[in-house]
Amino acid sequence: MSAASRPPRPRALFVAALLLLTLALAGAIALQAYRNFLGHKATAERVLRDYSRLAAARFAQRTEMAVYYHAFWPALDALSRAKAGRPDTELPAPSRLPVSSEPHAADFRKLARYTFRYDLRGGRLETAGGTPSAAVRRWLRDTLPVHSRTVYDPKEHLGAIVRTVDGLSRAIVYTVVNDQSGAPRTIVGIEEDPRGFEPLYTADEDKFPLLPRPLTGGVSYDSLGSAIVTGADGVELYRSPVQYPPLFAARDSFEEPMMGRVQVQVALRPDMAPKLVIGGMPRSNVPMLLSLLALTAGLVVAALLQLRREYELSRLRADFVSGVSHELRTPLAQIRMFSETLLLGRVRSDDERERSLEIIDQEARRLTHLVENLLHFSRSERRLARLSPALAPLAPLVSEAAEGFAPLAAARGVTLCTELTDGVVAPVDADALRQMLLNLLDNAVKYGPSGQTVTLGLTVADGRARVSVDDEGPGIPAAERERIWDRFWRLERDRGSAVAGTGIGLSVVRELVALHGGRTWVEDAPASERGDRAGSRFVIELPLVPLAHAASGAGTVRADAGATA
């Protein structure tokens, strides 16, 4: 098949492709927005981690200065004043050390346990004040020589060791005294209790806060973050009373050899993040993006379903036009052929003339019935359908409709019989009732087998009139018994068959019944004499008025269904 002869693609496919492209574009935009959020969040978290590193460094520096000036230097200054480094001088106990007049100079006495002097040449260790255990004395003899050679700072004349020895945390502060030749001769120092350093960790926090005040907006230390100080041996020396989760935490240590490089960890308060980051922490827009994406997907799905319905409706309308054309063409061809036969005098006998006239009459009836359906369908589409119900006995009207359809049934080899209950009176539009019955009879004859018997019945049940049409056809599947009343709907088994149809006959029946205030449905036909249950029963139920009301001279009732100007 050439490209020119190929049928063009339906416009609905193009629109559907655009809708799907729109959904994909919305998804891409949502994904990009989420990536931007993740990028902004990562940037803000990097800023906060940088702030936590800065806070840890400032806390370590402040703590080192506080411990040096309030605990270590006053002790070494007092030992120097007492000339405790001379071997010929008595080693003073901590309580006998002189104290200068500088602030906090006397605080070291509260922390001191004992003083000591160690001879590097002879290995002799002296102590005054408290008495260290044998394990502590061995540790001092083993540690001081090595520490003084590797860690001791000769410029500051200070060395410090913070360790847990013999189950107790100890802070050893010492200085090295040289002989006349400048060689190290004696180590003199003092042991202090590190637990007494706790006030020093928060000393001068107003002067030296964790972060510069322009960054924090003047927030105090206690509410900005939490700190943990750990010795070189992993033993915790200090923990702030309030601890925050380490979402934005950093570690630092004393840069000097003070206290054996004590580790400091500072964790910033999580809810302080909006105050530390310009513009605050970015908020997650995932719920909103997912909601918008779901709404877009829902709208696209609804549009696709609507396109599918429009496409289906367009196909059904095309089938309707094709069916109407076929329905019109057949009777018109028959009428034209037999009328030409009569006009040209080709009839050979009176029986043939009568037969030709009968066929013309049958086909004219079919055309009339089809045109009435089309006219009602057109009025219903424009909401102009009108009825003029009047109280009337139903049996004569039903019998008249059966007699009018009998020639069409006989032409197809169908036997039509009636089972009517007399005395049933209801407000009906006679023309509408006739059209409803003709549609049901035509449906029964058209889709039933040749030679079947179609029964038209009239009964009273539950205070309402019921008109039924029973056939011996293949029946209606239970799943399709509501769909068959829709416009243009035909059973799947009938769409490819040779039986022509417009697909509006049953919809016209339901609309006319609804205008009468009744209802209609389809069910299995009653069991036949043979005991099988083949066929269907179409039922019309109408409001019933007792015969006494009709005899009293009740007037005509009018009903306009959806009439518009």
Side-chain angles (χ1 to χ4, degrees), residues 222-234:
D222 290 338
S223 62
L224 180 61
S226 59
I228 299 176
V229 180
T230 306
D233 55 357

PDB file of all heavy atoms in Angstrom, residues 222-234:
ATOM      1  N   ASP A 222      24.630  28.449  75.712  1.00  0.00           N
ATOM      2  CA  ASP A 222      23.866  27.316  76.220  1.00  0.00           C
ATOM      3  C   ASP A 222      22.832  26.821  75.226  1.00  0.00           C
ATOM      4  O   ASP A 222      22.501  25.635  75.203  1.00  0.00           O
ATOM      5  CB  ASP A 222      23.168  27.701  77.531  1.00  0.00           C
ATOM      6  CG  ASP A 222      24.166  27.882  78.675  1.00  0.00           C
ATOM      7  OD1 ASP A 222      25.264  27.326  78.552  1.00  0.00           O
ATOM      8  OD2 ASP A 222      23.842  28.583  79.641  1.00  0.00           O
ATOM      9  N   SER A 223      22.282  27.722  74.421  1.00  0.00           N
ATOM     10  CA  SER A 223      21.244  27.315  73.477  1.00  0.00           C
ATOM     11  C   SER A 223      21.766  27.117  72.068  1.00  0.00           C
ATOM     12  O   SER A 223      21.004  26.764  71.179  1.00  0.00           O
ATOM     13  CB  SER A 223      20.123  28.362  73.452  1.00  0.00           C
ATOM     14  OG  SER A 223      20.640  29.606  73.013  1.00  0.00           O
ATOM     15  N   LEU A 224      23.057  27.314  71.838  1.00  0.00           N
ATOM     16  CA  LEU A 224      23.599  27.201  70.487  1.00  0.00           C
ATOM     17  C   LEU A 224      24.030  25.785  70.151  1.00  0.00           C
ATOM     18  O   LEU A 224      23.824  25.314  69.039  1.00  0.00           O
ATOM     19  CB  LEU A 224      24.782  28.160  70.315  1.00  0.00           C
ATOM     20  CG  LEU A 224      25.456  28.140  68.947  1.00  0.00           C
ATOM     21  CD1 LEU A 224      24.486  28.532  67.854  1.00  0.00           C
ATOM     22  CD2 LEU A 224      26.666  29.062  68.939  1.00  0.00           C
ATOM     23  N   GLY A 225      24.638  25.089  71.101  1.00  0.00           N
ATOM     24  CA  GLY A 225      25.123  23.755  70.811  1.00  0.00           C
ATOM     25  C   GLY A 225      25.518  23.041  72.081  1.00  0.00           C
ATOM     26  O   GLY A 225      25.412  23.566  73.193  1.00  0.00           O
ATOM     27  N   SER A 226      25.984  21.812  71.919  1.00  0.00           N
ATOM     28  CA  SER A 226      26.446  20.993  73.040  1.00  0.00           C
ATOM     29  C   SER A 226      27.876  20.554  72.767  1.00  0.00           C
ATOM     30  O   SER A 226      28.311  20.501  71.617  1.00  0.00           O
ATOM     31  CB  SER A 226      25.546  19.777  73.223  1.00  0.00           C
ATOM     32  OG  SER A 226      25.518  18.986  72.046  1.00  0.00           O
ATOM     33  N   ALA A 227      28.614  20.232  73.856  1.00  0.00           N
ATOM     34  CA  ALA A 227      30.025  19.885  73.721  1.00  0.00           C
ATOM     35  C   ALA A 227      30.343  18.646  74.549  1.00  0.00           C
ATOM     36  O   ALA A 227      29.716  18.387  75.584  1.00  0.00           O
ATOM     37  CB  ALA A 227      30.913  21.049  74.156  1.00  0.00           C
ATOM     38  N   ILE A 228      31.328  17.884  74.062  1.00  0.00           N
ATOM     39  CA  ILE A 228      31.861  16.720  74.767  1.00  0.00           C
ATOM     40  C   ILE A 228      33.383  16.795  74.673  1.00  0.00           C
ATOM     41  O   ILE A 228      33.935  16.964  73.581  1.00  0.00           O
ATOM     42  CB  ILE A 228      31.357  15.399  74.163  1.00  0.00           C
ATOM     43  CG1 ILE A 228      29.837  15.304  74.254  1.00  0.00           C
ATOM     44  CG2 ILE A 228      32.011  14.214  74.866  1.00  0.00           C
ATOM     45  CD1 ILE A 228      29.270  14.065  73.586  1.00  0.00           C
ATOM     46  N   VAL A 229      34.067  16.684  75.831  1.00  0.00           N
ATOM     47  CA  VAL A 229      35.526  16.717  75.876  1.00  0.00           C
ATOM     48  C   VAL A 229      36.011  15.324  76.278  1.00  0.00           C
ATOM     49  O   VAL A 229      35.554  14.766  77.285  1.00  0.00           O
ATOM     50  CB  VAL A 229      36.021  17.784  76.872  1.00  0.00           C
ATOM     51  CG1 VAL A 229      37.557  17.805  76.906  1.00  0.00           C
ATOM     52  CG2 VAL A 229      35.493  19.157  76.488  1.00  0.00           C
ATOM     53  N   THR A 230      36.930  14.784  75.482  1.00  0.00           N
ATOM     54  CA  THR A 230      37.427  13.425  75.703  1.00  0.00           C
ATOM     55  C   THR A 230      38.940  13.453  75.775  1.00  0.00           C
ATOM     56  O   THR A 230      39.599  14.127  74.953  1.00  0.00           O
ATOM     57  CB  THR A 230      36.988  12.489  74.565  1.00  0.00           C
ATOM     58  OG1 THR A 230      35.574  12.577  74.418  1.00  0.00           O
ATOM     59  CG2 THR A 230      37.359  11.053  74.879  1.00  0.00           C
ATOM     60  N   GLY A 231      39.500  12.740  76.742  1.00  0.00           N
ATOM     61  CA  GLY A 231      40.946  12.667  76.872  1.00  0.00           C
ATOM     62  C   GLY A 231      41.578  11.849  75.758  1.00  0.00           C
ATOM     63  O   GLY A 231      40.894  11.166  74.984  1.00  0.00           O
ATOM     64  N   ALA A 232      42.891  11.881  75.708  1.00  0.00           N
ATOM     65  CA  ALA A 232      43.606  11.159  74.657  1.00  0.00           C
ATOM     66  C   ALA A 232      43.406   9.654  74.761  1.00  0.00           C
ATOM     67  O   ALA A 232      43.526   8.939  73.762  1.00  0.00           O
ATOM     68  CB  ALA A 232      45.094  11.500  74.706  1.00  0.00           C
ATOM     69  N   ASP A 233      43.093   9.169  75.968  1.00  0.00           N
ATOM     70  CA  ASP A 233      42.871   7.744  76.141  1.00  0.00           C
ATOM     71  C   ASP A 233      41.411   7.356  75.947  1.00  0.00           C
ATOM     72  O   ASP A 233      41.023   6.225  76.230  1.00  0.00           O
ATOM     73  CB  ASP A 233      43.337   7.315  77.528  1.00  0.00           C
ATOM     74  CG  ASP A 233      42.673   8.124  78.635  1.00  0.00           C
ATOM     75  OD1 ASP A 233      41.893   9.053  78.309  1.00  0.00           O
ATOM     76  OD2 ASP A 233      42.945   7.839  79.812  1.00  0.00           O
ATOM     77  N   GLY A 234      40.576   8.299  75.476  1.00  0.00           N
ATOM     78  CA  GLY A 234      39.177   8.011  75.197  1.00  0.00           C
ATOM     79  C   GLY A 234      38.241   8.195  76.368  1.00  0.00           C
ATOM     80  O   GLY A 234      37.037   7.981  76.229  1.00  0.00           O
TER      81      GLY A 234
END
